[in-house]
Amino acid sequence: MSKFDPIRPFYDNEVNQALKEYGQHPMMKAILNFTFPDRSEAEWAEMLSDIHSIRDFQTKIIYDAVLKVLKISSDGLSTSGFENLDPNTAYLFISNHRDIILDTSLLNATLFEHGLVMTTSAIGDNLVKKPFLKALSRITRNFVVFRGLSPKAMFENSKLNSEYIKEALFQENRSVWIAQREGRTKDGMDLTQKGMLKMLTMASGNTPLKDYFQQLKIVPVSISYENDPTDVLKMPELMAKAREEIYVKQKNEDFRTLVSGIMGQKKRIHISVGKVMDEEIAEVFGTEGPLNKQLQVLAEELDRIIVHNYQLWPSNYIALDLMHNTNKYEAHYSKEEKEAFEERMANGIDMNNEVAVHNFLAMYANPVTHKQKITEPTT
């Protein structure tokens, strides 16, 4: 028994048995049929029987599935910064969060292609309620973050997550992926929650925080989708927020969003990884002041790097021009791209609802204004 049992992925010696248990599940068959449509069920069964580790499952099944998703739902994936990472080195990737599954899947596919250590990744417990989804998350090396707990339970779970991250990085030499905030970004504003950084401090023990955060080897990650395949699905929550109402998710909403994020059209995708935050951490913790202030400064520095490395697309500039009824950024897009964006918007929302139109456009326009604001030189 391990204290991490409630949240951890499968151990490698548990993988084959899990595949025997879930190999005939309809969703597993759907994954295999999608990825390997030319193979028979007998061949699928043989493939699964030969898998005895999480890496096996990731490289023999999931990697091919990711390539297939990219082929049918995107115009391709580009990357930058991975050449600055060292093989056999564990990093803590802190990332903006746009898609439930693909953010981590695309990052791990790229790490695999570059011969780098793949991640164990945080996933909300709301996404793994069903037994098969929980098993699939564990077999793809996710660890669970519980939400909606009492303050006491939340503290204990945060401490456990912090200790698990430390264990993965320092003892297992396993990279870790966590989002910069709880849940996906809905409005296009990628902002780091100070509470996430505070969680990381909980396993620091007697190590000075400057040293501990440097030992974590924090690498900021920026993920950019030209089209957000879940943009229309985000609208009810954005509309509720505009009305100052509490948003309540519909039944199976998370699952529908998950599927739409994977299969919906994304056009171009870019993943950029920054350099290890070392000097930035030394500067933050090299000054006197309360911990909350230091963590806020570190959060702002993470934001600056993530947004600076963010790839802006024609859709972002089109939305900003439409929002302000100008042609200021027309050099960044073509007439055809603008018409396609307008058609996408008209098919997804009520164009007579000014609040809906504003929120849809802001979702795409905010990355431009955020990048301009956060990267402009201070005087």
Side-chain angles (χ1 to χ4, degrees):
M1 294 291 291
S2 164
K3 66 180 179 180
F4 300 124
D5 283 351
I7 65 169
R8 67 171 176 82
F10 284 127
Y11 296 131
D12 281 342
N13 61 10
E14 298 171 321
V15 167
N16 193 259
Q17 180 58 42
L19 290 174
K20 288 179 180 177
E21 183 176 352
Y22 289 100
Q24 294 300 311
H25 192 281
M27 290 187 68
M28 180 64 81
K29 287 186 176 181
I31 292 170
L32 293 169
N33 184 53
F34 170 78
T35 309
F36 308 106
D38 297 330
R39 302 188 188 183
S40 66
E41 288 199 25
E43 289 174 308
W44 297 344
E46 185 177 353
M47 288 175 62
L48 295 180
S49 68
D50 287 338
I51 291 174
H52 295 274
S53 69
I54 288 180
R55 183 179 176 84
D56 279 351
F57 188 72
Q58 287 181 308
T59 58
K60 296 178 180 179
I61 306 292
I62 299 300
Y63 177 70
D64 288 276
V66 170
L67 295 183
K68 189 75 175 289
V69 167
L70 285 172
K71 183 177 180 180
I72 69 174
S73 73
S74 81
D75 291 340
L77 170 68
S78 57
T79 65
S80 58
F82 288 86
E83 65 279 2
N84 296 319
L85 303 180
D86 296 324
N88 304 313
T89 301
Y91 298 98
L92 174 57
F93 295 103
I94 299 181
S95 172
N96 68 330
H97 189 20
R98 294 302 179 86
D99 186 83
I100 294 171
I101 297 297
L102 281 188
D103 288 354
T104 52
S105 299
L106 294 174
L107 174 63
N108 274 315
T110 306
L111 292 171
F112 172 58
E113 291 174 348
H114 283 78
L116 300 165
V117 177
M118 290 186 285
T119 70
T120 180
S121 304
I123 189 169
D125 69 314
N126 58 303
L127 302 172
V128 293
K129 297 293 187 185
K130 297 182 184 299
F132 173 79
L133 293 177
K134 183 176 182 180
L136 184 63
S137 74
R138 298 184 72 193
I139 207 171
T140 49
R141 200 178 272 118
N142 292 284
F143 66 96
V144 177
V145 177
F146 289 96
R147 296 174 178 163
L149 303 175
S150 67
K152 181 179 179 181
M154 183 67 75
F155 175 84
E156 292 299 327
N157 185 248
S158 294
K159 187 171 184 293
L160 188 64
N161 286 145
S162 184
E163 291 171 349
Y164 175 76
I165 290 169
K166 179 180 181 179
E167 173 88 3
L169 288 167
F170 298 164
Q171 302 303 319
E172 300 176 16
N173 197 41
R174 169 64 53 196
S175 290
V176 175
W177 178 95
I178 56 174
Q180 67 180 160
R181 48 166 291 154
E182 180 180 317
R184 294 169 302 127
T185 305
K186 305 298 193 305
D187 61 1
M189 294 290 286
D190 296 311
L191 298 169
T192 302
Q193 289 177 336
K194 183 174 62 179
M196 180 275 296
L197 296 175
K198 198 163 189 176
M199 176 272 294
L200 294 175
T201 71
M202 299 174 77
S204 60
N206 295 322
T207 306
L209 282 182
K210 179 179 77 70
D211 297 337
Y212 184 67
F213 271 81
Q214 287 178 324
Q215 291 167 14
L216 292 175
K217 292 186 173 64
I218 295 173
V219 173
V221 180
S222 308
I223 303 176
S224 320
Y225 296 85
E226 186 169 5
N227 275 357
D228 182 344
T230 63
D231 49 16
V232 174
L233 295 178
K234 292 175 179 178
M235 291 302 297
E237 184 171 350
L238 291 171
M239 294 295 288
K241 183 178 180 181
R243 294 189 297 265
E244 298 183 347
E245 297 174 355
I246 296 175
Y247 179 70
V248 179
K249 289 183 180 180
Q250 297 179 356
K251 184 179 180 181
N252 294 323
E253 180 175 333
D254 285 326
F255 183 72
R256 291 199 306 274
T257 300
L258 184 152
V259 173
S260 296
I262 294 172
M263 302 307 299
Q265 178 54 237
K266 291 163 277 288
K267 297 188 75 173
R268 289 172 290 184
I269 308 168
H270 187 78
I271 300 179
S272 176
V273 297
K275 296 181 179 179
V276 176
M277 295 182 72
D278 190 71
E279 294 178 3
E280 296 90 344
I281 289 170
E283 185 174 338
V284 168
F285 293 104
T287 57
E288 295 293 329
L291 175 60
N292 280 342
K293 176 62 176 176
Q294 291 175 321
L295 294 180
Q296 184 58 44
V297 173
L298 182 57
E300 291 169 0
E301 185 61 18
L302 266 165
D303 293 346
R304 186 191 66 78
I305 297 171
I306 289 172
V307 173
H308 179 268
N309 291 339
Y310 192 87
Q311 174 70 53
L312 295 175
W313 304 108
S315 54
N316 302 118
Y317 292 107
I318 292 167
L320 191 56
D321 270 351
L322 289 174
M323 178 179 285
H324 298 291
N325 194 29
T326 71
N327 296 313
K328 182 178 179 180
Y329 296 100
E330 63 182 354
H332 294 280
Y333 57 84
S334 67
K335 178 183 177 182
E336 292 74 20
E337 286 170 329
K338 184 177 182 180
E339 289 174 350
F341 182 88
E342 290 176 317
E343 181 179 358
R344 177 183 178 84
M345 179 170 62
N347 289 335
I349 64 170
D350 178 5
M351 295 298 291
N352 294 317
N353 187 323
E354 291 183 7
V355 177
V357 171
H358 174 82
N359 278 283
F360 187 91
L361 292 175
M363 193 188 309
Y364 284 95
N366 280 338
V368 182
T369 54
H370 193 195
K371 186 167 186 172
Q372 290 172 341
K373 180 180 179 181
I374 207 166
T375 60
E376 65 185 10
T378 56
T379 56

